[in-house]
Amino acid sequence: MNAAAGSLRGGELAEAMVTEAPTGAAASRASIVDVAQRAGVSVATVSRALRDMPNVSKATRDRVLRAAQELQYAASPLASGLVTGRVRSVGVVLPYAGRWFFAEVIRGIEEALRDHGYDLVLHVVSDAQRRADFFESLPVRRRVDAILVVALPLEDHERDILRGLGLPLAAVAEPIKGLHGEFVDNDATARLAVQHLVNLGHTRIASIGGDLHGPERFSVPGLRTGGFRAAMAEAGLTVRPEWEVDGRFTAAGGELAMTALLSQKGGRPTGVFCQSDEMAFGALKALRRSGLRVPEDVSLVGVDDHELSDVFDVTTIAQPVVAQGAAAARWVVSRLERTADPDAPDDEVCLHPVRLVLRGSTGPAPTEH
């Protein structure tokens, strides 16, 4: 063993022994010991300099970085994990991956993690069996440094399992007791949408939302329906139970729900609050197929500000979807890098602002219907 390696201890020895599989011949021979010899410092100093740790002068750090660059040295993720106790990956657990909302949240998470040198490990628990397998086997164990739960309501025992890992945990879109959260105020979101219709003179207002009694127990449909009912009550308007329809938060579901509303006896609504833009797209299709004009006969307002909302000219309540994912990612990174306020609670809830975006799908209530 040469002199540079003689002072290795613990994780430093691990980092010296394991190097990333490089592309060049020079890089394939380079190790942290070689970098230490080239820079004229100890392996421990190289390790601290490459991890940008304190107690290394700028001149020494520059010399180490220059030596590492000349040797095309790259510390392996495994070795870095042995040294730091981290693998620089964050797990993301969610029920769907292909739907627009989830894809946008993932985009925000991935961009924020990449900015801080972390990778994303995705786990989609799209049915009961996959969900049970995930919480039974915990594939994230030893593979990630933190976990983000996206729009997935957890049972108490599932939450306890994740908390038992001792990792930073955060939730996006779906509140989870005891976890840091990044959300919008769904009650206020619904109130803003309904108030817009009320301000336009609509009194016959329906809601297309989600299943309030399903086994998955998502909170968003209930919160938005609660906001719808509260806004109607404040305006002195009656909520007709048959005008609260499940649209399954999909375009196809929105089309079926709007068709059902138009098929009921006792007249049709003149204003419809769609709890997602995708359901509004489907409702718009059903209205046009029925020969009804938007907004002259029926006004529609959605939620999200989907990228196609402008194309379909849908008035909506915009929420910052990408920003919620990015904020959650930055929060767990701040915990991992110890840059967060140590006195800040781990279960803090951060509410993101929403705003009304006026487009052509809403207008004054018709005088006859």
Side-chain angles (χ1 to χ4, degrees), residues 77-247:
L78 175 58
S80 181
L82 291 171
V83 174
T84 66
R86 297 199 299 269
V87 293
R88 302 199 72 82
S89 293
V90 172
V92 178
V93 186
L94 70 174
Y96 310 103
R99 295 187 180 183
W100 176 84
F101 176 86
F102 294 92
E104 290 294 281
V105 171
I106 292 171
R107 180 161 70 90
I109 292 171
E110 193 278 331
E111 290 175 355
L113 291 180
R114 178 161 31 90
D115 287 344
H116 291 86
Y118 285 80
D119 293 324
L120 181 154
V121 179
L122 197 63
H123 293 275
V124 183
V125 289
S126 55
D127 56 47
Q129 187 58 54
R130 286 186 177 90
R131 182 168 178 157
D133 290 344
F134 174 83
F135 285 100
E136 181 177 343
S137 63
L138 273 186
V140 295
R141 193 189 304 272
R142 294 185 300 275
R143 290 181 54 197
V144 301
D145 302 313
I147 296 176
L148 299 176
V149 182
V150 178
L152 182 69
L154 298 183
E155 302 288 345
D156 289 346
H157 76 279
E158 294 172 335
R159 182 196 63 209
D160 292 343
I161 288 172
L162 293 184
R163 296 185 72 171
L165 295 173
L167 305 176
L169 302 173
V172 180
E174 184 75 30
I176 300 175
K177 184 179 180 180
L179 269 63
H180 175 85
E182 302 285 344
F183 320 111
V184 298
D185 186 332
N186 286 288
D187 179 272
T189 296
R191 289 170 181 260
L192 181 58
V194 175
Q195 189 60 52
H196 172 58
L197 293 173
V198 170
N199 291 345
L200 290 170
H202 293 273
T203 59
R204 298 168 60 85
I205 303 174
S207 171
I208 297 178
D211 186 357
L212 301 180
H213 308 290
E216 294 176 309
R217 298 191 300 115
F218 291 107
S219 69
V220 171
L223 291 170
R224 292 184 184 173
T225 298
F228 163 73
R229 293 172 180 172
M232 292 286 283
E234 289 170 3
L237 301 176
T238 301
V239 175
R240 293 174 54 168
E242 66 273 21
W243 281 5
E244 292 182 341
V245 190
D246 178 13

Side-chain angles (χ1 to χ4, degrees), residues 212-285:
L212 301 180
H213 308 290
E216 294 176 309
R217 298 191 300 115
F218 291 107
S219 69
V220 171
L223 291 170
R224 292 184 184 173
T225 298
F228 163 73
R229 293 172 180 172
M232 292 286 283
E234 289 170 3
L237 301 176
T238 301
V239 175
R240 293 174 54 168
E242 66 273 21
W243 281 5
E244 292 182 341
V245 190
D246 178 13
R248 295 179 288 186
F249 277 78
T250 65
E255 181 182 1
L256 291 172
M258 191 71 243
T259 300
L261 286 172
L262 296 177
S263 302
Q264 294 174 5
K265 297 179 180 179
R268 55 174 167 78
T270 66
V272 180
F273 165 47
C274 298
Q275 295 182 22
S276 77
D277 285 346
E278 289 177 288
M279 290 190 290
F281 301 155
L284 188 63
K285 180 180 178 181

Side-chain angles (χ1 to χ4, degrees), residues 51-67:
R51 288 183 284 140
D52 200 25
M53 295 184 68
N55 302 323
V56 179
S57 70
K58 182 180 184 303
T60 300
R61 180 175 287 107
D62 290 345
R63 193 162 71 249
V64 169
L65 293 176
R66 184 166 55 251

